Amino acid sequence: MLENLSVHLDTALRLLISGQEFSEIPDVATYAEIKDQWSVGCRDSLEATIRDGDYGPQHTEIVDYPKNAIAVRPLTRFSARDRLIYDSLVFDLASDIDKCRNRSVYSYRWNHKAGEPLFWSHSWSLMRHRALSTLSGNRRLLMATLDVSSFYEHVDVELLSEDLYMMAKNEAHVQKVSNFLRRFQNINHAWGLPQGSDASGILANAYLASVDQFLTQQRLPFVRYSDDIMIFDESWNSLRDVLVSVNRIFRARKLSMAGHKTSILGHEEALNRLRSAEEASIDYGVKVGDPKARLSARTYFYDTCASEVISSRRLKFSLNRLRRLGDDYAVSWCLDNIRYIADAAKEIFAYFAACEHRLPEIESKLTAFMCSSESKSYPYVEQRILRYFVRLGVSNELMKESAWKILDDRNREEFPREFAARYLGRCSSVADAQLLRHKFEGEAGGGMRRALMIALYESGYLSKRYRRDVECSIPNLRWLCSYLEKNPKIPVS
C-alpha cells in the first residue's frame, strides 16, 4: 500500500504545481518549498501522517468564488498538506472507479497507463464532438439537456462511501477518503465534496453511476460530463419521460435538477448550442494566421460585451483569442469592468500579460481600483492584481499603501493578504521590512506566517540566525526554512 501511496503523492505534487497556471486561487510561492524538500523528508512525513491516521484536513478556507457578476460557488482552499493527502488518497481509488465508468461519461477520466487524471479540456472537447456526431447522424434527433443544482455541494458523503466500497478494492483507502470528507464537513461551513480539486471530480463520477446505468438500459444515446448531461431521442415525449425518471434518481441521491438548465431542444437548436460556426471560424483563423482573424475576434468580443447578459464562456473565448493574436483591443474595457467579470480573472490577467506595451494604463487603472473602497468586495481580483504586480516587478507608493491596508486587515480572506505580504517584501524599505517582521511575529495562522516569511526573505531582512530560530520554533515552517537556506529565487506562477 505504501509503495502505491508514494507514487500517488508524487503525482499529486506534480499536478498541484503544474496546475498553478490554471488555478482559481494560485499559491503565493507555487509550493516551491514543498517541491524542493519533497525527496528529503516531506513526502515521507506525509506518508507517515496517513499511516498514523492523522490525515484529516487541518486548515481549510471556504472562498466564495464568482460564477458571474452576482452568484458565487464555495471553492475549497486546502493547505498544501491537506490537498496532497486528499488527492493522493483519491488517486489510489481512481483506477477502480474509472473501470466502472460508462463509456458515455467523459468527465475526469483516468489515464491508466500514466496513472493520473486526463486534463479536463481534452475530455470536454471529446464529449461535445461525440454529441455533435450523434446529432449529425440522424436529423430527426432531439436533445435533452440537464444538470444538477449545486452538484458538488449536495453529494452525500455516506451514500458516496457506500458506492466506493462497491467499486474499489482497497477498503482501507476508501475508509480514509470517507473519514477525510467527514472531517472536512464537520469543521467547515461546507458540505459535499471540496470544490477546486480534480480528485473531487473523480469521486463525483462515481456518484452518478446509477443515472448512467438507467440511461443505458433505456437504450438512449447520451453523453455526460460531471452533472452536465445530454440525452438524444426522436420523441419529445420519450425525452420528457426520461427526464422525469432521472429526476427521481437524483432525489434518491439527495440531488435536485436545475430547472433553468433543463430543456428539450430541436435538432437545429441543439446543433447551434453545441457548435458555433463563428467560433470555429475565428479559432481556425487565429491558428493559421488569417489576416481577417483580428477583425473577426474583435467583432465577436464587441458583440459579446454588447449583450444584456454577458456570457462568461463567450468572454473567455474571445479574450483567449485576442491574447493569442497579441491584440490589445479589449484592454481598456476589461480594466473598466473588472469587478463585474471577476469569474474571468484567469483569462483577463493572462491577456494583460500579453499586452505589456499597455502597462502604464494597466498599472494606473489597477492601482486606482485597489485604492477604491470597492476592492475589498473582490478579494479574488485583489489577489490577481497583486500577483500581476509581483510577477512584473512593478512598484508604486499607492499600491504599497493598498497592500499594507490589505495585510493589516485580519478580517479579509487570507489569499489576498498573502500576496500583499509578498508584494511588500519585493518593494520594501528597511523600515517596511522591520514592520513585516513585526507582522510575522503577531500572526497565528500558518498560511500568513509562511507568506510573511517569504516576504522577509525577499526584503533581505531574514538573517540566518532568525531563520534558524523560526525553524526550531515553528514546525510547520521547517520545509520553507530549509528551502530559503539555499538562497533561491522564489517563483511566481
Side-chain angles (χ1 to χ4, degrees), residues 135-165:
L135 285 169
S136 299
N138 183 350
R139 296 187 59 83
R140 294 189 298 273
L141 284 178
L142 310 177
M143 181 176 79
T145 65
L146 69 151
D147 69 9
V148 178
S149 295
S150 303
F151 174 43
Y152 277 52
E153 296 172 66
H154 290 99
V155 169
D156 185 276
V157 171
E158 300 307 323
L159 282 175
L160 175 63
S161 296
E162 294 174 7
D163 298 334
L164 295 178
Y165 279 119

Side-chain angles (χ1 to χ4, degrees), residues 98 101-110 118-131 133-134 201 205 212 222-226 228 230:
D98 195 67
R101 175 183 57 85
N102 190 290
R103 293 181 65 184
S104 295
V105 176
Y106 289 83
S107 48
Y108 298 99
R109 298 189 299 161
W110 189 252
L118 293 169
F119 190 60
W120 69 268
S121 64
H122 177 65
S123 298
W124 173 259
S125 298
L126 281 176
M127 181 196 73
R128 294 178 70 84
H129 178 77
R130 168 83 175 274
S133 177
T134 300
N205 261 0
D212 305 330
F222 77 96
V223 292
R224 176 167 76 82
Y225 190 98
S226 192
D228 184 1
M230 305 175 199

Side-chain angles (χ1 to χ4, degrees), residues 64-72 310 315 331-345 348-349 352 364-382 384-385:
D64 289 327
Y65 198 81
K67 295 173 67 175
N68 53 42
I70 300 173
V72 298
I310 296 177
L315 179 62
V331 166
S332 295
W333 186 91
C334 288
L335 290 167
D336 292 339
N337 293 278
I338 194 166
R339 61 179 63 85
Y340 307 117
I341 53 173
D343 54 308
I348 291 168
F349 281 90
F352 286 166
S364 175
K365 288 191 175 181
L366 292 182
T367 301
F369 174 79
M370 292 289 282
C371 292
S372 72
S373 59
E374 294 181 325
S375 76
K376 188 175 182 179
S377 299
Y378 304 93
Y380 24 83
V381 177
E382 288 183 331
R384 290 281 169 175
I385 292 173

Side-chain angles (χ1 to χ4, degrees), residues 385-400:
I385 292 173
L386 289 163
R387 175 172 171 258
Y388 176 77
F389 276 46
V390 168
R391 190 183 69 81
L392 292 182
V394 175
S395 174
N396 67 59
E397 289 303 313
L398 287 175
M399 184 60 74
K400 279 184 64 175

Side-chain angles (χ1 to χ4, degrees), residues 124 127-129 131-132 135 142-147 228-232 258-279 300 311 313-314:
W124 173 259
M127 181 196 73
R128 294 178 70 84
H129 178 77
L132 279 169
L135 285 169
L142 310 177
M143 181 176 79
T145 65
L146 69 151
D147 69 9
D228 184 1
I229 307 173
M230 305 175 199
I231 311 167
F232 307 91
H260 66 289
K261 293 185 178 180
T262 301
S263 59
I264 299 176
L265 307 177
H267 188 85
E268 290 302 319
E269 187 180 3
L271 284 173
N272 291 336
R273 175 79 66 89
L274 289 168
R275 178 183 61 202
S276 169
E278 184 180 15
E279 287 183 2
Y300 185 89
S311 165
R313 184 193 63 79
R314 285 176 58 95

